[in-house]
Amino acid sequence: MIARLMTLARGVFLALLAGLLVVACSDDTLVSPEQDPSVELDLHDLAPDAQMQALRPATLVLERNTARLMSRPGVVATAVGLTDAGRPAIRMYVDGPVLDDTPSELGGLPVLVVESGPIVALQEAQERPGVAARPGPPCPPKCDDGGDGGNGGNGGGGGSFSPTAKHRPAPNGVSLGHPAITAGTLGAIVTKGGNWFILSNNHVLADENLAEIGDDAYQPGRFDDGTENDDIGTLSAFVEIEFSLTAANLVDAAIASVSPADVTGETEPGSYGAPRTTTVQATVGQRVMKYGRTTGETKGRVQAVNATVNVGYDSGVARFVGQIIIGGGGFSAGGDSGSLIVVQNGSDARSPVGLLFAGGNGITVANPIDDVLEAFGVTIVGN
């Protein structure tokens, strides 16, 4: 009984708090609900559920202002993050000069402007007719953890392993692509009803909605000299991307059926190995890592969550909502699209967090992995 009363009291308190944040919105003003200046917690230190709850007021502020902020010239993304001191903040990512009337705060929350440049889908971007495929990334003995805003190190476990070569069985993190695209990354293996599938992006396996179910998936991708002789699976399903600035895309994702004998379900030897089957939610400051076709194993930190992002594709610009932004200038590059992002260390080490699909100058954008898996009703093959 006491526990039930405490739960009820907590619910009432949170409801009242949320109610205080609901402010009428006029057609020509930014909404700025007042925040409690007495809050002194460093939210970096909170557990995921506690941090999410503590950031809820900031999320509400952003939600009420996102449309107006995103309509400003040069703004390509908005998100909820933290200051260096661990206080809630609004992050605004821009691809050009900051306008003089850019707000410095909303409802007592600082607005941190980040010069990200344009944000684009990260398949290998350039066709190079007549040029040999590039070799796999170098791998120093120990990859550098650049942290928030630093460079992640290139490479994985060392040796002669090349993510751009053909592999059978193929590990997670190697070159992959639809015959019509250049190359992306084999992110992970997922399963449903006893069947196995390769998980990657729509723009890697389904050519930005242009593919047909049953199309081949090459490993390696065509940019890395993949041909019909390198078919590893067939397109099974994809989530269509809506190319519009009024869209609310959640994922850039696709799956291709594959024989279990042709894949390993883990990264190459010397990297983090098999992901866990159980996923975790991204939190600001969380240390993460990935293995991708172009930059190999890299490490970074979650910089912001609940992001609204305009992403450039060959087919146009698509708006995504509820996304994850990761800091670290070397965390990803063209060709890393489709990489699985996992927790770097601690009790949740190797737990999937997101599916990499886009990036800008010094940032990487990922779909929350739970949204991706839910879209297909699949689970990660791991341990």
Side-chain angles (χ1 to χ4, degrees):
M1 178 63 73
I2 293 175
R4 292 180 61 187
L5 290 175
M6 290 178 67
T7 300
L8 179 61
R10 181 173 180 271
V12 171
F13 170 77
L14 293 175
L16 289 173
L17 177 61
L20 291 174
L21 293 168
V22 178
V23 177
C25 178
S26 68
D27 289 337
D28 56 1
T29 60
L30 290 169
V31 182
S32 301
E34 291 300 324
Q35 304 298 303
D36 183 354
S38 67
V39 176
E40 296 295 334
L41 288 174
D42 184 340
L43 301 189
H44 289 108
D45 298 332
L46 296 183
D49 289 346
Q51 187 190 93
M52 181 179 65
Q53 188 61 53
L55 286 176
R56 180 59 180 161
T59 300
L60 291 174
V61 172
L62 179 61
E63 287 175 352
R64 300 299 295 271
N65 290 288
T66 293
R68 200 166 301 280
L69 290 175
M70 292 294 292
S71 69
R72 297 173 65 84
V75 176
V76 293
T78 59
V80 172
L82 297 175
T83 65
D84 289 341
R87 310 292 187 268
I90 303 300
R91 284 183 174 257
M92 187 168 69
Y93 297 83
V94 299
D95 69 353
V98 179
L99 299 179
D100 292 339
D101 63 343
T102 297
S104 60
E105 67 173 38
L106 289 175
L109 300 175
V111 176
L112 309 178
V113 179
V114 182
E115 296 183 10
S116 65
I119 297 175
V120 297
L122 290 181
Q123 76 175 49
E124 179 56 61
Q126 296 183 351
E127 297 278 5
R128 299 184 182 183
V131 178
R134 295 188 296 175
C139 181
K142 184 177 180 180
C143 298
D144 173 45
D145 178 5
D148 188 3
N151 287 331
N154 288 340
S160 60
F161 180 84
S162 173
T164 60
K166 179 176 181 177
H167 297 277
R168 295 296 185 277
N172 297 350
V174 295
S175 175
L176 178 79
H178 184 277
I181 71 124
T182 50
T185 294
L186 188 164
I189 303 304
V190 295
T191 184
K192 178 181 180 181
N195 297 313
W196 283 32
F197 305 90
I198 291 169
L199 174 65
S200 190
N201 296 140
N202 172 318
H203 74 270
V204 172
L205 287 174
D207 189 23
E208 299 180 16
N209 303 340
L210 299 177
E212 296 183 359
I213 300 302
D215 281 1
D216 290 340
Y218 290 174
Q219 194 295 301
R222 185 169 52 83
F223 184 80
D224 299 317
D225 289 342
T227 70
E228 63 269 16
N229 295 323
D230 302 311
D231 173 23
I232 193 173
T234 56
L235 181 63
S236 177
F238 61 92
V239 177
E240 287 200 18
I241 300 170
E242 181 181 348
F243 295 98
S244 167
L245 292 181
T246 61
N249 293 291
L250 292 177
V251 300
D252 176 342
I255 57 174
S257 60
V258 66
S259 167
D262 285 335
V263 290
T264 71
E266 56 188 66
T267 60
E268 61 105 352
S271 185
Y272 69 83
R276 290 188 173 179
T277 299
T278 303
T279 64
V280 298
Q281 186 175 39
T283 57
V284 181
Q286 184 180 54
R287 291 177 182 269
V288 295
M289 65 190 300
K290 74 97 183 70
Y291 196 102
R293 170 253 179 218
T294 304
T295 57
E297 181 184 289
T298 57
K299 300 172 183 177
R301 291 183 187 237
V302 174
Q303 188 178 89
V305 294
N306 295 320
T308 297
V309 189
N310 292 340
V311 179
Y313 292 84
D314 291 341
S315 301
V317 179
R319 177 165 293 181
F320 287 77
V321 299
Q323 302 301 295
I324 304 164
I325 295 181
I326 296 161
F331 189 76
S332 66
D336 285 330
S337 275
S339 301
L340 183 69
I341 299 171
V342 302
V343 176
Q344 179 185 335
N345 50 26
S347 60
D348 289 326
R350 298 183 293 106
S351 295
V353 173
L355 187 68
L356 190 157
F357 79 108
N361 181 23
I363 66 166
T364 296
V365 187
N367 308 142
I369 193 63
D370 285 341
D371 288 344
V372 174
L373 300 180
E374 183 178 349
F376 303 114
V378 296
T379 57
I380 297 281
V381 172
N383 58 27

